[in-house]
Amino acid sequence: MTTTAQIQPTFEAWRSKARELLKHGVAPENVDWVDASQTASLLAEQPADHQTAPNASVKVPADFLRLAANVCAHTDERRFAILYRLLHRVALGGEKHLLAMPTDRDMHQCNLWAKAVSRDIHKMHAFVRFRLVGVNEQNGREQFVAWFEPEYRITRLASPFFEKRFASMEWSILTPDECANWDGHKLTFMPGMSRHDAPAADAHDDLWRTYYRSIFNPARLKVQAMQSEMPMKYWKNLPEAEIIHDLIASSDQRVRAMIATPERPVKPAPNNAYLNSLRNKPEKLTSPAPASPVSAP
Amino acid sequence: MDLTRKLVILADAAKYDASCASSGAARKDSRDGKGIGSTGGMGICHSYTPDGRCVSLLKVLLTNACLYDCHYCINRRSSNVQRARFTPEEVVQLTLDFYKRNYIEGLFLSSGIVRSADFTMEQVIEVARQLREVHHFRGYIHLKTIPEASQALIDKAGRYADRISINIELPSQKSLDRLAPEKNLTNTMQAMHGIRQRIDENVNAKKAARQIVNRPRAKAPAFATGQSTQMIVGADDSTDALVLHRADELYRDCRLRRVYYSGFSPIPEPSVLLPIKPPPLVREHRLYQADWLLRFYGFDVGELLPKEDPNLDLDLDPKLAWALRNRADFPVNINRAPQELLWRIPGLGTVNVARILAARRWASLTLADLQRMRVNLKKVMPFIIAADHRPHIAQLESTNLRQQFLPGPRQLELNFNAPPPTTPADATMVLSGQL
């Protein structure tokens, strides 16, 4: 007899449902996991019809919960089912060592999802760009808003980082799925919003682009390396990305100009007390190969 | 001069320093509502420029005026580059403004040498002091120090910074004498030893502060958690063996976190003493690979670079090149061999070795298992024994094995309509007359 487990697509919802199913020993092949936010309750959840007596407690390693939290944030629709199968095998199937088995098919799949999610979290920490919108008149705290489009449902997982770092500011990060809001004391979450709810630019973006342009070395063009770490899907929300094409296009000309520049002659040393003192250097290390290490002072 | 113009000049002046790491700092955050920022754990690259390098820190010089005449450096006194100088307040404000917008992890501050080493150090330290003490900035600070500065100033820099570094620049005094006549290797190494001592003392002090006998908790002193350096590759005739021996010495004796290798690249103000042709970027890449093998895989410099061949193979990664020279050590059984031998298999990294060690306690591993771990099978197969695989001894002994791993010959494009766009490499070739 198949049970339909209709849940909101969050780790908390999956965990409480999985705990309930596991207590009744429901086999993974008998559960049909449904994302309630996708189906909008077309399917009413069937009343549970569990044959076995509930197990008192289910214990799983802490590593499993960490893995599950990341996997649940993924968007692949098979994730809840495979995660439950993994849980069932670890908790009831006598395969306690599964978490140390990256070669197992279910573990492998979950690891891939978890890794994709943690990469997305890392990129969110990197690529969120706050825009100053005002100052709180009561306490003088600056207020910032950012717009970001993560690939997975990671707003909750990624937000504690911003809380620790920007605790003395007031900020909101808006995403299509869920928004995070920090008022200086408490982190709260709201439903998703649209790009138009966030400011499009910040007065400092120009200065930031100036820095980005100046720190780029045209003599070492490696566009592929840049794109593998900063995929183009993120570019539309990065203020510096709009000058990338110009930088690439002009790099050849700039390098030619460097190479065509006549070499500068050496200028004599100015008469400076400090420079003069350097000439009376202590004994120089002259051995060509550092086979004999210099002794510590 | 306005701020934007200063930023253009002083960021451009700083870009030849390869380091941008923001990892390995002590854990700190601003949840007490005072100040701003956090560090700890993994560093974050907030952007990437089209040269493939990460932008993690606001990397600028305080001033690009300099007394020294280092020929690989755009800021040397003989260069005609426009000079500028930030006030400490300008750098502080710029750092805070960028940080609050989540553009950066913190500040990497260096400076040309003006007046004297101590005078310059004091200016650099003043920026860090204001950030930490006036603004309670808890983000990352990397300060470049000058070996000739007094120990008291280097100590002071270390108390504000998460990382401090001194660039060794070139691996021997002979090369320094030619290209950076003011620099002295002995001074540099002595300063690095001094910093190492301070870091060690601080680690011990932190441990002591945690001891139960010292309750109520003594506050651990703050000091940088690591130091790093940079060597320029390709501006002199130093061999890879010389470069790596020097790096190895620094890792062992001064406990450096990182040695950065920076392939010399053309600069807008070239010097007569420099080669016109930059070294291939792949040389820098091979040095980093070899560096990793020294630090995490238990290799010695002598193993990677035998006396008769003091330069790394540019076509093959250094571990594969080593394996091809030492075929008698293979094949290695992945289900039995100890960790040290697994580390030596070409195509296996430390992460996958850890996975193999964990998984083989429960099952004998097959090629399919390796494939699931995304191991490059073509690369490892000649060197390993798995549950369902044993390489032909003939293959391992074959003279063609090296051939098999070489990058394929590049197909020349036959396109008569539109010639491919020229690259900076082509321009160099035309001007230097070298192929």
Side-chain angles (χ1 to χ4, degrees):
Chain A
M1 162 83 204
T2 306
T3 311
T4 302
Q6 189 173 358
I7 57 166
Q8 285 299 318
T10 66
F11 169 58
E12 289 72 22
W14 176 85
R15 183 176 57 182
S16 66
K17 192 74 196 173
R19 197 181 274 152
E20 179 195 324
L21 293 168
L22 204 62
K23 275 187 180 165
H24 293 90
V26 181
E29 56 272 26
N30 293 337
V31 189
D32 201 2
W33 292 88
V34 178
D35 179 343
S37 70
Q38 298 291 316
T39 50
S41 74
L42 279 176
L43 283 164
E45 192 179 346
Q46 296 160 2
D49 178 22
H50 308 303
Q51 287 103 0
T52 40
N55 282 333
S57 69
V58 181
K59 280 194 177 156
V60 290
D63 282 352
F64 178 82
L65 290 178
R66 273 191 286 273
L67 177 74
N70 270 12
V71 169
C72 286
H74 203 276
T75 45
D76 192 305
E77 53 188 26
R78 298 166 301 159
R79 68 195 182 283
F80 295 127
I82 291 186
L83 203 52
Y84 181 66
R85 185 160 75 204
L86 197 62
L87 173 67
H88 193 270
R89 289 172 65 194
V90 171
L92 302 180
E95 295 185 85
K96 285 213 164 62
H97 60 272
L98 257 188
L99 284 161
M101 286 279 291
T103 50
D104 178 83
R105 272 171 208 285
D106 289 347
M107 269 307 289
H108 173 65
Q109 183 58 66
C110 286
N111 278 335
L112 283 184
W113 284 330
K115 201 174 164 192
V117 166
S118 85
R119 183 177 157 90
D120 201 31
I121 293 171
H122 188 73
K123 294 299 178 197
M124 179 162 172
H125 292 164
F127 298 149
V128 156
R129 296 285 182 260
F130 282 117
R131 268 109 199 214
L132 184 65
V133 291
V135 174
N136 185 325
E137 283 174 9
Q138 273 137 38
N139 52 34
R141 272 199 285 263
E142 288 173 305
Q143 297 167 315
F144 291 85
V145 176
W147 167 251
F148 191 72
E149 293 169 64
E151 185 147 4
Y152 307 111
R153 308 179 65 102
I154 56 167
T155 306
R156 275 168 201 261
L157 292 173
S159 294
F161 164 86
F162 295 104
E163 178 190 337
K164 282 184 203 156
R165 176 161 290 193
F166 301 114
S168 58
M169 313 184 327
E170 291 178 12
W171 51 261
S172 301
I173 300 174
L174 315 185
T175 86
D177 280 328
E178 196 171 29
C179 304
N181 182 57
W182 171 259
D183 63 1
H185 303 286
K186 205 170 177 311
L187 191 58
T188 49
F189 296 95
M190 301 170 298
M193 292 171 85
S194 100
R195 167 200 289 275
H196 307 294
D197 298 319
D202 185 281
H204 270 77
D205 285 349
D206 273 334
L207 209 51
W208 170 239
R209 275 187 289 266
T210 299
Y211 175 68
Y212 183 84
R213 185 182 294 118
S214 308
I215 204 73
F216 161 64
N217 183 351
R220 316 175 39 116
L221 204 58
K222 276 187 181 175
V223 179
Q224 282 268 298
M226 167 186 67
Q227 283 194 13
S228 72
E229 292 299 336
M230 193 167 81
M232 285 173 80
K233 67 180 175 196
Y234 295 111
W235 288 16
K236 61 178 182 290
N237 294 319
L238 292 171
E240 65 271 29
E242 58 190 62
I243 60 171
I244 288 176
H245 285 297
D246 283 351
L247 289 182
I248 295 172
S250 61
S251 64
D252 176 47
Q253 195 52 44
R254 290 172 65 188
V255 177
R256 279 165 189 269
M258 284 182 209
I259 295 169
T261 310
E263 287 93 353
R264 303 284 180 231
V266 176
K267 274 187 200 158
N271 188 12
N272 168 282
Y274 171 68
L275 274 190
N276 294 339
S277 77
L278 284 182
R279 285 205 198 91
N280 313 317
K281 281 176 189 174
E283 194 186 327
K284 280 180 182 175
L285 185 77
T286 42
S287 67
S292 54
V294 197
S295 56
Chain B
M1 194 184 288
D2 73 341
L3 187 69
T4 302
R5 183 68 198 144
K6 286 187 187 180
L7 184 60
V8 167
I9 295 170
L10 294 168
D12 187 84
K15 72 177 157 208
Y16 299 98
D17 215 307
S19 160
C20 79
S22 54
S23 56
R27 232 163 249 290
K28 50 185 184 288
D29 62 51
S30 49
R31 272 182 297 185
D32 58 3
K34 196 169 146 192
I36 190 166
S38 64
T39 54
M42 242 193 312
I44 297 174
C45 297
H46 285 273
S47 193
Y48 290 82
T49 39
D51 48 19
R53 282 186 166 164
C54 109
V55 182
S56 179
L57 304 170
L58 170 64
K59 186 162 36 176
V60 289
L61 299 193
L62 198 53
T63 176
N64 64 339
C66 191
L67 286 171
Y68 285 15
D69 210 19
C70 309
H71 289 271
Y72 45 78
C73 180
I74 182 176
N75 307 311
R76 69 188 185 285
R77 66 167 183 261
S78 301
S79 153
N80 286 343
V81 73
Q82 189 182 7
R83 310 287 169 167
R85 183 172 67 90
F86 277 132
T87 63
E89 289 73 19
E90 282 170 334
V91 182
V92 166
Q93 198 54 48
L94 205 51
T95 307
L96 292 172
D97 285 340
F98 277 13
Y99 197 86
K100 286 177 188 166
R101 283 153 184 83
N102 204 38
Y103 298 154
I104 52 168
E105 287 289 286
L107 173 69
F108 178 170
L109 189 63
S110 180
S111 180
I113 293 169
V114 283
R115 223 178 291 179
S116 72
D118 277 356
F119 177 82
T120 311
M121 254 343 275
E122 279 165 6
Q123 304 289 307
V124 167
I125 290 170
E126 174 57 16
V127 174
R129 187 198 67 78
Q130 287 190 15
L131 277 170
R132 292 284 196 236
E133 291 182 354
V134 179
H135 300 277
H136 303 280
F137 177 69
R138 281 101 191 239
Y140 198 89
I141 297 182
H142 180 157
L143 296 182
K144 184 117 288 180
T145 49
I146 307 161
E148 283 77 18
S150 70
Q151 182 73 44
L153 285 176
I154 294 182
D155 288 354
K156 199 171 174 200
R159 283 199 291 280
Y160 293 124
D162 294 286
R163 176 167 295 195
I164 47 183
S165 62
I166 299 176
N167 280 358
I168 190 164
E169 307 294 12
L170 293 165
S172 69
Q173 186 64 50
K174 195 181 110 220
S175 295
L176 285 177
D177 281 344
R178 204 170 84 82
L179 294 178
E182 284 84 12
K183 297 218 175 202
N184 181 310
L185 195 56
T186 312
N187 281 354
T188 303
M189 305 273 286
Q190 277 180 359
M192 284 179 174
H193 276 284
I195 294 170
R196 181 211 159 162
Q197 272 178 1
R198 287 291 177 278
I199 293 175
D200 287 355
E201 281 165 20
N202 190 58
V203 168
N204 292 334
K206 269 189 186 152
K207 272 187 200 145
R210 276 199 298 270
Q211 295 291 316
I212 201 113
V213 291
N214 290 329
R215 297 280 169 104
R217 274 194 183 189
K219 196 175 177 329
F223 198 81
T225 51
Q227 63 168 327
S228 59
T229 194
Q230 167 168 302
M231 261 192 273
I232 296 167
V233 179
D236 63 343
D237 55 2
S238 300
T239 61
D240 290 342
L242 184 59
V243 170
L244 284 175
H245 269 295
R246 183 64 74 196
D248 191 46
E249 181 190 13
L250 295 174
Y251 283 129
R252 283 167 198 276
D253 296 351
C254 306
R255 299 273 167 80
L256 258 64
R257 284 285 178 97
R258 284 288 296 274
V259 174
Y260 290 91
Y261 307 95
S262 179
F264 159 73
S265 72
I267 50 173
E269 291 280 324
S271 156
V272 283
L273 291 181
L274 280 186
I276 189 169
K277 194 173 148 67
L281 284 180
V282 67
R283 181 172 176 205
E284 185 186 298
H285 179 58
R286 295 289 179 232
L287 280 168
Y288 275 117
Q289 288 178 318
D291 181 276
W292 241 254
L293 294 179
L294 297 180
R295 290 191 293 149
F296 305 117
Y297 290 78
F299 279 88
D300 291 337
V301 180
E303 289 178 298
L304 297 175
L305 291 160
K307 282 219 165 52
E308 62 277 13
D309 197 4
N311 285 304
L312 293 165
D313 191 332
L314 293 184
D315 291 329
L316 299 178
D317 74 74
K319 202 209 267 187
L320 182 57
W322 172 83
L324 289 173
R325 285 195 305 272
N326 295 276
R327 299 184 196 191
D329 294 1
F330 295 98
V332 169
N333 188 330
I334 57 161
N335 286 304
R336 285 165 181 240
Q339 175 174 267
E340 301 79 61
L341 286 186
L342 296 181
W343 280 345
R344 296 195 162 224
I345 299 171
L348 278 191
T350 47
V351 172
N352 274 330
V353 166
R355 286 187 185 140
I356 288 173
L357 291 172
R360 76 184 189 183
R361 292 171 61 206
W362 311 100
S364 196
L365 301 186
T366 62
L367 289 184
D369 290 326
L370 293 183
Q371 195 160 32
R372 229 167 279 140
M373 292 184 216
R374 305 231 172 132
V375 170
N376 178 349
L377 283 189
K378 192 177 157 240
K379 194 164 182 181
V380 296
M381 273 171 70
F383 301 102
I384 61 162
I385 294 172
D388 58 348
H389 167 75
R390 182 175 281 277
H392 281 291
I393 290 302
Q395 187 193 8
L396 197 51
E397 286 171 357
S398 151
T399 45
N400 287 334
L401 190 55
R402 185 188 144 84
Q403 211 62 38
Q404 201 178 309
F405 289 113
L406 286 179
R410 211 176 301 160
Q411 189 105 38
L412 285 178
E413 270 178 61
L414 280 180
N415 185 346
F416 297 103
N417 299 323
T422 52
T423 63
D426 293 332
T428 319
M429 222 189 286
V430 169
L431 284 152
S432 67
Q434 279 177 282
L435 265 177

